[in-house]
Amino acid sequence: MSDTTEKHDFPWGPATGVGSLPGGDAREAAKTVTGSFEDFPFLAELPARGPGADMIGRTIGMLVDLYAHVEPSGWRISDRPGRDTRRARSWLGEDLDALEEFTQGYEGALKVQAVGPWTLAAALELRGGEAALGDAGACRDLVGSLAEGLQQHLAEVRRRVPGARVVLQLDEPSLTAVLSGRVRTASGYRTYRAVDRQVVEGALRDVAAVHDGPVVVHSCAPDVPFALLRRTGIAGISFDFGLLTERDEEAIGEAVEGGTKLFAGVVPSTDGPLSDPGGSVMGVRTLWRRLGLNPGTLAESVVITPTCGLAGASPAHARAALAHCVRAAKSLADNPE
């Protein structure tokens, strides 16, 4: 993981995507991403292709010595790799082929996404149908397998795009529910006990430690645990800006002052008219003023992204939203006040 010096020296682009896009054509997605974000492309995820291309299935395909298959209720642990795991790996290979094709000679920041250990533990079922989250030993095995799988995945990305400075994004939409004991059991009648914050922190730190570049954690739920995430030593936190409340503000101010990069999801991911670029980042400027932060630090502290869920948009809106992120980031840099 990166130290504070590297966080400041790293060639972060001004805007990027969250991860998922609509459609099922890997080449079209790679072309869109690299065309939209010349300074900070990402490896697109296309969940519309079906199980194995979804966020959970894609990461399950990366695991080492842990396999799963699709049940009506979701992904469940298997004894050996079956059709679903093979499909997940095949689609990831297809996406990497397309990315490699459209990043020839590229040098700069490149983001790849995988599901973090706690969202994975909340989603992956053990053989009896309950989530791995309810079994401390299963959680430890999952952390180890994910760390090893990510190490291999990152090495493959670096091999295919040798000029890239890779950013690893861990997607943790269930993190808040895991910390507050709100993940439901298979029956739906009760919830799993809240996981101790130190255990959560330790697992995130272990997984993030496999990458010698910056790690970002993305959480599109309310009540993002900013302070806990910063203690893991990650370089950035990605979130939906519209879900922030006043009680998040102090933690955000501390994050900015501590050099943590904020990936602010401000451009709507659902079809509809987009505001002017300045309007999209008005809330970010307002927050900066309220916190008494120097407006001159805005562009270096914030990366602009769409909100979560772009896979559900029309392809035309997705393209427009990505382009809009770049224009909104430029507005923030040109007019920080």
Side-chain angles (χ1 to χ4, degrees):
M1 262 193 310
S2 54
D3 59 21
T4 308
T5 313
E6 189 179 340
K7 287 178 198 174
H8 292 298
D9 292 345
F10 193 82
W12 303 99
T16 190
V18 175
S20 64
L21 290 177
D25 186 327
R27 288 187 78 254
E28 186 59 38
K31 185 179 172 186
T32 297
V33 165
T34 53
S36 303
F37 301 115
E38 292 175 7
D39 303 313
F40 202 170
F42 62 97
L43 178 62
E45 297 167 353
L46 303 173
R49 292 180 295 196
D54 61 299
M55 186 173 79
I56 298 296
R58 185 185 187 93
T59 301
I60 282 169
M62 296 179 194
L63 297 177
V64 173
D65 296 333
L66 260 182
Y67 314 107
H69 63 278
V70 179
E71 292 276 339
S73 53
W75 286 87
R76 185 172 294 182
I77 289 280
S78 306
D79 293 324
R80 60 185 67 84
R83 184 184 58 196
D84 297 325
T85 306
R86 285 195 296 273
R87 191 189 295 129
R89 290 174 178 169
S90 169
W91 273 327
L92 179 57
E94 210 177 281
D95 294 335
L96 286 166
D97 288 344
L99 182 74
E100 183 178 2
E101 179 185 345
F102 286 97
T103 51
Q104 293 295 310
Y106 175 72
E107 293 183 356
L110 169 68
K111 184 165 69 70
V112 298
Q113 306 81 222
V115 176
W118 296 108
T119 297
L120 204 54
L124 182 58
E125 298 173 0
L126 301 177
R127 287 175 183 82
E130 291 296 345
L133 185 65
D135 182 322
C139 286
R140 282 193 296 273
D141 291 345
L142 199 51
V143 168
S145 175
L146 177 61
E148 202 174 331
L150 280 175
Q151 209 158 15
Q152 294 177 10
H153 176 55
L154 291 163
E156 176 70 2
V157 172
R158 283 191 290 263
R159 185 184 68 76
R160 288 170 176 264
V161 194
R165 303 280 296 277
V166 181
V167 175
L168 170 62
Q169 175 180 302
L170 296 174
D171 289 318
E172 282 285 14
S174 301
L175 184 59
T176 304
V178 166
L179 287 164
S180 56
R182 284 191 279 115
V183 177
R184 296 207 165 274
T185 57
S187 68
Y189 293 122
R190 39 183 211 93
T191 56
Y192 294 103
R193 185 180 303 161
V195 181
D196 181 87
R197 295 180 88 82
Q198 285 184 313
V199 174
V200 168
E201 200 178 307
L204 284 167
R205 193 181 284 114
D206 288 348
V207 172
V210 305
H211 185 38
D212 58 5
V215 177
V216 173
V217 172
H218 169 72
S219 179
C220 50
D223 301 319
V224 175
F226 287 96
L228 180 150
L229 290 174
R230 286 185 58 229
R231 286 197 300 273
T232 66
I234 59 165
I237 300 172
S238 172
F239 55 94
D240 277 10
F241 190 83
L243 296 179
L244 293 181
T245 64
E246 274 184 40
R247 64 174 177 270
D248 295 313
E249 291 187 3
E250 189 181 340
I252 288 206
E254 288 170 359
V256 171
E257 287 170 351
T260 303
K261 203 85 173 173
L262 301 181
F263 285 61
V266 296
V267 177
S269 56
T270 47
D271 281 50
L274 296 166
S275 75
D276 66 289
S280 295
V281 289
M282 192 189 302
V284 182
R285 287 195 190 97
T286 305
L287 175 62
W288 235 247
R289 275 200 299 275
R290 259 206 317 274
L291 293 172
L293 295 167
N294 175 4
T297 64
L298 256 174
E300 71 187 44
S301 300
V302 177
V303 175
I304 297 299
T305 76
T307 57
C308 211
L310 208 53
S314 67
H317 178 80
R319 285 192 297 273
L322 298 185
H324 193 83
C325 287
V326 175
R327 290 195 292 272
K330 188 173 186 323
S331 166
L332 203 57
D334 293 347
N335 308 296
E337 304 279 359

